[in-house]
Amino acid sequence: MRRRQNIPLTLPPVPPPAPPADPLVPTVSDPADVEREAALARLFELHYASMLRLAVLLGADDPENVVAEAYYQIYRKWRRLRETGAAEAYLRSTVCNLTRMRIRHLQVARRHVENPPEEVIASAESTALLHDDQRVLIDALQQLPARQREALVLRHWLGLKESEIAAAMGISCGSVKTHTSRGIAALSKAMEARR
């Protein structure tokens, strides 16, 4: 019988563990990705608040999620943008479309609920911040059809030109004029009735 010799095993030195990566800082190696990340960060800083207000004025029930989804979509499609200067217009158009889809979804969902809510009630905080005339205007604006509300918000709140509104809404300039004039007429009538 052979005896086993006790040969000491030597293991290679274990390298020290790498410091944990910061989960909030993306690891990017491609220069195009670095540029995209920087451009999106600038876009977020410059336009997040205005896009959030746009979603609120268009009637989104969850404006933060709508805007977050819009930024996610522009992030995914960044390389397909023809010009990075068009990112703001693309973002605005995406917020309009997502808000419209969300409202449509809620209308369908409410039709299928056995006991639909009587009325949507604004939060106490948002109501307290509004003056009486602002409340009347916001209530009247919420009663308008979606396209009229969108056209008015984009024209009078954002101050966009008809061609920019048409691009954001995906309609012709003539339709923008029609929706805007009908919306103004309906708002005027509603404001007069409430005085």
Side-chain angles (χ1 to χ4, degrees):
M1 193 188 253
R2 283 180 139 179
R3 285 181 108 191
R4 283 191 182 179
Q5 296 178 346
N6 287 336
I7 302 175
L9 287 174
T10 56
L11 297 174
V14 177
D22 187 358
L24 299 178
V25 178
T27 55
V28 189
S29 59
D30 185 14
D33 287 341
V34 172
E35 181 182 324
R36 174 178 66 169
E37 297 291 330
L40 282 168
R42 282 192 306 274
L43 189 68
F44 186 83
E45 289 173 13
L46 292 174
H47 300 292
Y48 178 77
S50 65
M51 292 301 149
L52 188 61
R53 285 190 294 265
L54 175 62
V56 168
L57 288 172
L58 292 178
D61 68 325
D62 57 349
E64 294 90 0
N65 288 336
V66 167
V67 174
E69 177 67 22
Y71 274 99
Y72 172 69
Q73 286 188 15
I74 199 169
Y75 174 81
R76 281 188 18 229
K77 298 176 183 178
W78 187 261
R79 290 187 177 136
R80 287 185 265 170
L81 284 177
R82 290 188 187 105
E83 301 174 18
T84 56
E88 178 188 357
Y90 177 81
L91 188 62
R92 186 182 314 114
S93 176
T94 305
V95 168
C96 289
N97 289 336
L98 289 172
T99 301
R100 194 177 314 121
M101 288 183 339
R102 177 70 182 157
I103 290 171
R104 201 174 301 132
H105 168 75
L106 289 175
Q107 289 171 345
V108 170
R110 286 182 183 137
R111 277 189 220 132
H112 297 291
V113 173
E114 289 182 19
N115 298 324
E118 293 290 324
E119 181 180 327
V120 176
I121 300 172
S123 68
E125 294 85 7
S126 63
T127 306
L129 293 174
L130 295 175
H131 297 300
D132 289 334
D133 55 343
Q134 290 173 326
R135 276 189 221 118
V136 170
L137 179 63
I138 298 259
D139 289 343
L141 189 64
Q142 295 300 325
Q143 299 305 314
L144 292 178
R147 291 293 189 163
Q148 291 177 12
R149 182 174 54 243
E150 283 179 43
L152 288 176
V153 167
L154 293 171
R155 174 72 180 109
H156 295 287
W157 180 72
L158 286 180
L160 298 181
K161 299 175 192 169
E162 287 175 0
S163 59
E164 294 172 322
I165 297 169
M169 292 178 66
I171 58 177
S172 69
C173 288
S175 295
V176 170
K177 291 177 185 178
T178 301
H179 290 307
T180 304
S181 66
R182 288 180 182 169
I184 290 288
L187 269 183
S188 299
K189 186 176 177 182
M191 296 296 285
E192 287 298 321
R194 293 179 185 201
R195 286 188 183 176

